[in-house]
């Protein structure tokens, strides 16, 4: 199934009539935004009618303003004035999408929560399908991109390479081409929020918590408006974060590489000794000597660099800084239905309600 057209959403809504005994459920949509003043209106126009069509659903749309420098937060304020279900968590600066997502997930009060991009690359029509599968008993319903036509060949190629490398190196398996677009039930969300690491590779964190999951394939459209906030350098660092967070193989492999090099050097030394005993002293070539020295130097530097990657992350983790800082928030509700007190304590000690 590629895309669910709007008509079939009304089919679900029709099905809801027979399910009208369902208690009111609460759905939170979490949308990290960075400089997206033009995208928010288009997003709301598409998403709100789709949610209203689902039936037996109360909703909130939490925008997390990740340190925008344009009118993004004013636009959200205006949207809130027109529709109190729209709320905002505004971070004190740009903390990155993963941190922004975490802020939104912590603020969410829903029985289920769906993180989405604001650029409509996560087709809103899928929300109805996600909710339907959640009501059937799945804790996690994730969207799986079946084609990445909207990405450049280099981006989709490197993504494919990353997934295969990740799944080879990590005992945790992540589904290829699954992004943050998914529905999580309250229990799955609570579990996700228990992972307090600062290095937040959300795809890995989502996969780590497990729960009964099902994928919904979809074609990823191009960005509705604006430009991507990720360049290749950011993506490379993101890939490094993912690998180092969920695998220690790159760190441990050096024992084996070192062992192999040691073995080879013992064999080579023995050969030299034998050669000297049998054929007398021989002055070996300068070139081979240089090659060995340079090769070993490079191997050592690479291994040091990899240790550095882990050590750096360990250092960051050990500081226990908050994942994000909230500057302003409004419209949020506590799980009990009362308004959240406006407080700037960023990360509650636990993810409890
Ligand atoms: N985003 C964010 N903080 C950042 C970068 C991006 O909140 O530092 C948001 C952005 O506004 C969008 C979503 O994350 O809603 C996905 O970003 P983008 O579309 O640029 O990423 P891509 O789809 O190219 O991977
Ligand atoms: Mg995008």
């Amino acid at each position: 199934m590629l895309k669910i057209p709007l008509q079939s959403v009304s089919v679900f809504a029709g099905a809801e009539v027979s399910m009208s005994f369902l208690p009111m459920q609460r759905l939170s949509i979490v949308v990290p935004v960075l400089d997206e003043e033009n995208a928010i209106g288009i997003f709301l126009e598409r998403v709100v009618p789709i949610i209203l069509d689902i039936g037996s659903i109360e909703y909130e749309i939490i925008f997390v303003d990740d340190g925008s420098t344009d009118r993004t937060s004013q636009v959200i304020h205006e949207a809130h004035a027109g529709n109190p279900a729209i709320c905002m968590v505004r971070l004190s600066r740009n903390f990155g999408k993963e941190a922004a997502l975490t802020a939104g997930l912590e603020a969410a009060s829903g029985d289920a929560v769906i993180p989405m991009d604001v650029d409509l690359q996560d087709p809103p029509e899928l929300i109805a399908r996600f909710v339907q599968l959640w009501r059937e008993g799945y804790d996690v319903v994730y969207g799986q991109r079946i084609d990445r036509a909207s990405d450049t060949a280099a981006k989709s190629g490197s993504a494919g390479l990353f997934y295969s490398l990740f799944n080879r190196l990590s005992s945790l398996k992540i589904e290829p081409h699954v992004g943050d677009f998914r529905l999580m039930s309250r229990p799955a969300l609570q579990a996700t929020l228990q992972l307090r690491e600062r290095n937040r590779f959300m795809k890995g964190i989502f996969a780590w918590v497990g729960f009964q999951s099902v994928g919904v394939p979809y074609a990823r459209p191009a960005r509705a408006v604006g430009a991507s906030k990720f360049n290749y350098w950011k993506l490379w660092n993101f890939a490094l974060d993912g690998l180092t967070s969920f695998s220690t193989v790159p760190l441990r492999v050096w024992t084996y590489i070192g062992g192999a090099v040691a073995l080879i050097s013992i064999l080579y030394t023995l050969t030299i000794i034998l050669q000297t005993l049998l054929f007398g002293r021989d002055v070996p070539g300068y070139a081979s000597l240089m090659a060995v020295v340079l090769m070993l130097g490079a191997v050592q530097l690479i291994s040091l660099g990899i240790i550095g990657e882990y050590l750096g992350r360990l250092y960051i983790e050990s500081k226990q800084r908050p994942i994000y800082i909230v500057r302003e928030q409004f419209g949020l509700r506590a799980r009990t239905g009362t308004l959240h007190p406006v407080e700037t304590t960023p990360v509650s000690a636990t993810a409890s309600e």
Side-chain angles (χ1 to χ4, degrees):
M1 184 186 319
L2 290 188
K3 248 184 166 188
I4 299 163
L6 264 170
Q7 301 89 283
S8 63
V9 172
S10 53
V11 171
F12 294 145
E16 287 310 317
V17 177
S18 60
M19 293 165 81
S20 54
F21 58 89
L22 265 177
M24 206 59 155
Q25 288 170 308
R26 198 167 159 75
L27 179 68
S28 303
I29 308 279
V30 171
V31 195
V33 283
L34 169 66
D35 294 337
E36 302 279 11
E37 57 182 7
N38 297 323
I40 290 167
I42 303 172
F43 174 83
L44 288 172
E45 262 168 42
R46 276 281 293 282
V47 170
V48 173
I50 288 172
I51 301 175
L52 290 178
D53 244 6
I54 295 177
S56 300
I57 279 281
E58 215 184 301
Y59 72 99
E60 64 179 354
I61 298 177
I62 304 177
F63 286 104
V64 185
D65 181 0
D66 187 16
S68 300
T69 50
D70 64 359
R71 290 191 65 254
T72 296
S73 67
Q74 283 102 298
V75 174
I76 301 169
H77 268 285
E78 288 158 17
H80 173 71
N83 178 356
I86 295 163
C87 27
M88 177 170 81
V89 176
R90 187 177 183 192
L91 306 186
S92 60
R93 64 170 171 86
N94 178 243
F95 281 87
K97 186 189 168 188
E98 314 282 300
L101 204 54
T102 307
L105 294 179
E106 290 197 328
S109 64
D111 303 308
V113 47
I114 303 182
M116 283 178 83
D117 288 358
V118 74
D119 56 11
L120 295 175
Q121 284 198 286
D122 301 330
E125 290 77 12
L126 256 69
I127 295 174
R129 177 86 183 123
F130 282 7
V131 170
Q132 190 197 29
L133 286 165
W134 167 52
R135 286 178 170 166
E136 283 172 17
Y138 289 99
D139 276 295
V140 178
V141 188
Y142 55 83
Q144 189 161 28
R145 303 166 200 177
I146 48 167
D147 84 310
R148 303 183 58 124
S150 60
D151 288 339
T152 59
K155 192 167 176 184
S156 63
S158 54
L161 198 70
F162 170 75
Y163 288 119
S164 74
L165 191 68
F166 185 99
N167 285 335
R168 223 164 274 203
L169 291 183
S170 171
S171 54
L172 180 79
K173 301 292 166 244
I174 53 174
E175 291 284 339
H177 310 301
V178 171
D180 300 326
F181 184 37
R182 60 185 57 227
L183 177 145
M184 278 176 284
S185 67
R186 178 51 55 176
L189 174 64
Q190 292 300 111
T192 306
L193 294 178
Q194 279 176 37
L195 277 77
R196 308 298 312 153
E197 58 232 70
R198 263 109 272 271
N199 178 2
R200 301 196 72 74
F201 180 65
M202 291 309 264
K203 289 184 221 291
I205 290 178
F206 290 146
W208 190 89
V209 297
F211 286 90
Q212 201 186 2
S213 318
V214 61
V216 177
Y218 73 98
R220 191 162 172 84
R223 220 178 201 281
V225 61
S228 172
K229 306 291 181 297
F230 290 91
N231 55 33
Y232 280 105
W233 180 244
K234 266 196 183 177
L235 286 175
W236 163 253
N237 281 311
F238 188 54
L240 277 186
D241 278 346
L243 285 175
T244 51
S245 279
F246 287 94
S247 170
T248 51
V249 171
L251 202 54
R252 295 201 322 257
V253 73
W254 297 100
T255 319
Y256 302 99
I257 294 178
V261 172
L263 196 71
I264 293 168
S265 52
I266 289 170
L267 291 178
Y268 187 55
T269 312
L270 287 178
T271 319
I272 295 171
I273 292 172
L274 268 180
Q275 260 181 353
T276 314
L277 289 177
L278 294 176
F279 307 110
R281 206 172 282 168
D282 176 31
V283 181
Y286 164 80
S288 58
L289 204 63
M290 273 312 272
V292 170
V293 169
L294 289 177
M295 217 275 278
L296 280 182
V299 167
Q300 285 175 2
L301 284 179
I302 293 170
S303 66
L304 256 183
I306 289 186
I307 294 172
E309 289 288 339
Y310 282 87
L311 190 66
R313 284 173 174 78
L314 195 63
Y315 176 60
I316 299 287
E317 292 291 336
S318 71
K319 293 194 203 192
Q320 292 283 308
R321 286 180 181 161
I323 297 168
Y324 56 86
I325 299 285
V326 176
R327 168 177 169 185
E328 173 195 1
Q329 55 186 27
F330 60 79
L332 299 171
R333 292 215 306 180
R335 288 275 291 147
T336 51
T338 53
L339 280 171
H340 267 304
V342 177
E343 34 107 345
T344 46
T345 336
V347 183
S348 46
T350 63
S352 60
E353 304 149 27

